Amino acid sequence: MKNKPFVTRLTFVASSRPEAMEARDKLAKRYGDAGIDDAQVIVALGGDGFMLETVHGLMASGKPIYGMNKGSVGFLMNEFVDDDLLSRINAAEQAEIHPLRMQAVDVDGVMHEALAFNEVSLLRTTRQAAKLRISVDGKVRLPELICDGALISTPMGSTAYNLSAHGPIIPLDSKILALTPISAFRPRRWRGALLAQAARLRLEVLEAPKRPVSAVADNFEAPNVLEVYIAEDRDVAVCMLFDAGRSLGERVLAEQFSA
């Protein structure tokens, strides 16, 4: 880690998968486990979902997180290798990630607040299509979007749900957010928008009693929402570590050329 003290103290966390827990015990025995308070780096063992869970659960510690894949896809994880772990971590490249902050008001007037490092998505919850009104920086840009939903993605999250919904992959340092419709019916040809990092969004749910919508920020869900406010929170940051030559920026770029 450039300009940082040499890392010697680690702590290990693992998903509930047996192979992840077995790897945690093996690595802790080999390298020692300093615990969250004394560790310099948190090593997360699992898949991408567990990495997001770790980021949310341990970001208050302020410790960098180095993931190793013991899950399925592992886009946010490094390759699992037992040997030379300290050397890999000390040579790792850093990615500072800022989340979106979601504030969602439900039909009862209750405010739900959560952070999203991948995306905030609004999703219909019945057979009825959702109707959404989209405003950016206080100006209505789309009076009515009839759809299964819509999502706002960070660059890191642009290769996840956003890509599955045919949204664009965003370079990590581009300072852009993606606004992507999910199965848009009207306007049929609207493919979404790229927005400035500082954009502030408001999504209103039209005909909410008839067409209920939930709002999801990573792994947090607010049901039956009326309106959702979304903006990047630059005051919150998490440091993720990636093996030298395999930075998060490189992974996002390479994804654009994958088959």
Side-chain angles (χ1 to χ4, degrees):
M1 293 163 58
K2 190 176 180 180
N3 299 324
K4 295 288 185 180
F6 190 81
V7 172
T8 58
R9 302 188 308 277
L10 308 175
T11 191
F12 299 91
V13 295
S15 73
S16 59
R17 296 178 64 148
E19 57 268 39
M21 292 189 289
E22 181 181 350
R24 177 198 60 196
D25 294 342
K26 182 179 179 180
L27 291 171
K29 183 177 181 179
R30 180 170 181 177
Y31 294 99
D33 193 318
I36 296 294
D37 290 340
D38 293 330
Q40 294 164 282
V41 170
I42 298 165
V43 178
L45 303 160
D48 289 340
F50 182 69
M51 174 56 89
L52 281 177
E53 182 182 323
T54 302
V55 166
H56 281 280
L58 297 178
M59 62 182 171
S61 72
K63 307 293 176 66
I65 302 173
Y66 178 88
M68 286 203 290
N69 189 24
K70 278 295 180 179
S72 51
V73 177
F75 182 81
L76 298 176
M77 314 300 276
N78 298 287
E79 180 184 1
F80 180 84
V81 179
D82 292 17
D83 297 330
D84 299 320
L85 180 57
L86 289 174
S87 297
R88 290 171 66 192
I89 288 175
N90 279 285
E93 301 180 36
Q94 301 183 30
E96 187 176 79
I97 306 300
H98 300 280
L100 301 172
R101 182 172 294 276
M102 177 190 82
Q103 296 175 309
V105 181
D106 67 22
V107 294
D108 296 319
V110 177
M111 173 74 77
H112 304 267
E113 191 165 335
L115 297 176
F117 289 88
N118 266 5
E119 76 278 318
V120 174
S121 52
L122 276 70
L123 306 166
R124 67 173 180 143
T125 57
T126 69
R127 68 185 187 281
Q128 294 275 8
K131 285 188 177 182
L132 307 176
R133 178 183 295 132
I134 300 175
S135 301
V136 180
D137 294 328
K139 182 175 182 178
V140 175
R141 293 293 182 179
L142 198 57
E144 184 177 272
L145 171 65
I146 304 175
C147 56
D148 281 354
L151 63 88
I152 297 86
S153 171
T154 66
M156 185 179 84
S158 67
T159 62
Y161 191 8
N162 173 72
L163 183 58
S164 297
H166 307 292
I169 296 176
I170 309 170
L172 198 65
D173 59 355
S174 61
K175 299 183 179 180
I176 288 174
L177 305 176
L179 169 59
T180 301
I182 303 170
S183 300
F185 179 66
R186 291 286 188 278
R188 191 179 297 276
R189 292 183 174 83
W190 188 65
R191 299 300 183 187
L194 293 175
L195 305 174
Q197 181 185 63
R200 306 185 72 82
L201 290 90
R202 180 188 184 195
L203 284 79
E204 300 169 81
V205 179
L206 309 178
E207 303 179 23
K210 180 183 179 183
R211 304 170 185 271
V213 168
S214 66
V216 182
D218 284 351
N219 54 3
F220 173 87
E221 182 172 359
N224 300 318
V225 297
L226 280 178
E227 54 186 349
V228 180
Y229 299 87
I230 304 161
E232 189 180 62
D233 192 334
R234 301 293 296 179
D235 293 329
V236 178
V238 170
C239 178
M240 298 172 65
L241 302 178
F242 295 89
D243 286 336
R246 289 285 294 149
S247 69
L248 183 57
E250 166 62 25
R251 294 171 191 223
V252 172
L253 178 60
E255 193 72 13
Q256 297 184 73
F257 297 91
S258 65

